[in-house]
């Protein structure tokens, strides 16, 4: 089914292009003039075959890079890596400081809660917890 559809699309495209080509030739004038103009357009767009072959021979291989270019490129990569490393180190330090502050605050709240509990439950008979340990 797909092959049949593809074949019909190609066939209709070829028919459409042939009709457009004939219509353009008729609208310009006689076929000789249209053919000459088409030949001139082709010559303007495309280069000569020998020029194209010379161009491809010269540019088919990648030109060698000079050591200065390689050094500059490597320096740029190293600089970008250093910036990335500094950024991540700064982010890690900020996060570690944040976590440390959170832990300190949590410990302080915990100590305050324990102290409040001790004050609430202290009946005056015993000394503070640190001095009331039972030694073996």
């Amino acid at each position: 089914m797909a092959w049949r559809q593809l074949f019909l699309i190609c066939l209709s495209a070829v028919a459409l292009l042939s009709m457009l080509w004939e219509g353009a030739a008729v609208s310009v004038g006689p076929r000789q003039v249209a053919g000459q103009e088409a030949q001139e357009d082709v010559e303007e767009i495309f280069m000569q075959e020998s020029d194209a072959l010379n161009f491809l021979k010269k540019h088919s291989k990648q030109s060698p890079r000079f050591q200065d270019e390689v050094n500059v490129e490597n320096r740029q990569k190293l600089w970008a890596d250093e910036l990335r490393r500094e950024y991540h180190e700064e982010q890690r330090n900020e996060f570690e400081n944040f976590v440390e502050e959170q832990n300190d605050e949590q410990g302080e709240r915990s100590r305050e809660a324990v102290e409040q509990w001790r004050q609430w439950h202290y009946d005056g008979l015993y000394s503070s917890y640190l001095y009331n340990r039972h030694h073996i």
Side-chain angles (χ1 to χ4, degrees), residues 96-109:
E96 287 175 356
N97 291 341
F98 170 75
V99 168
E100 187 176 345
E101 288 177 11
Q102 290 290 334
N103 289 339
D104 290 346
E105 290 175 7
Q106 181 65 31
E108 187 177 334
R109 283 194 297 269

Side-chain angles (χ1 to χ4, degrees), residues 21-135:
W21 182 260
E22 289 177 13
V26 170
S27 66
V28 170
R31 291 199 180 235
Q32 264 187 342
V33 175
Q36 290 173 354
E37 286 180 5
Q39 185 70 18
E40 291 173 5
D41 290 342
V42 167
E43 289 175 1
E44 289 177 11
I45 294 173
F46 298 108
M47 54 176 39
Q48 296 295 324
E49 185 177 356
S50 59
D51 294 338
L53 287 175
N54 288 336
F55 178 83
L56 289 175
K57 283 179 185 176
K58 290 178 184 176
H59 295 88
S60 63
K61 295 181 181 176
Q62 187 176 8
S63 61
R65 294 172 37 193
F66 295 108
Q67 189 61 37
D68 293 338
E69 294 175 355
V70 173
N71 291 342
V72 167
E73 188 175 320
N74 287 338
R75 262 188 267 129
Q76 289 176 343
K77 287 179 183 177
L78 290 173
W79 181 67
D81 290 343
E82 182 65 27
L83 287 179
R84 192 177 305 113
R85 189 178 304 113
E86 288 176 4
Y87 171 76
H88 288 297
E89 183 178 348
E90 182 179 332
Q91 293 294 317
R92 186 179 62 245
N93 289 339
E94 287 179 8
F95 180 71
E96 287 175 356
N97 291 341
F98 170 75
V99 168
E100 187 176 345
E101 288 177 11
Q102 290 290 334
N103 289 339
D104 290 346
E105 290 175 7
Q106 181 65 31
E108 187 177 334
R109 283 194 297 269
S110 178
R111 281 191 296 278
E112 288 175 358
V114 168
E115 185 63 31
Q116 287 175 358
W117 185 87
R118 285 185 185 148
Q119 286 177 0
W120 177 258
H121 293 285
Y122 181 64
D123 58 0
L125 298 175
Y126 300 103
S127 57
S128 69
Y129 173 75
L130 292 174
Y131 301 108
N132 196 21
R133 295 183 183 169
H134 297 286
H135 298 288

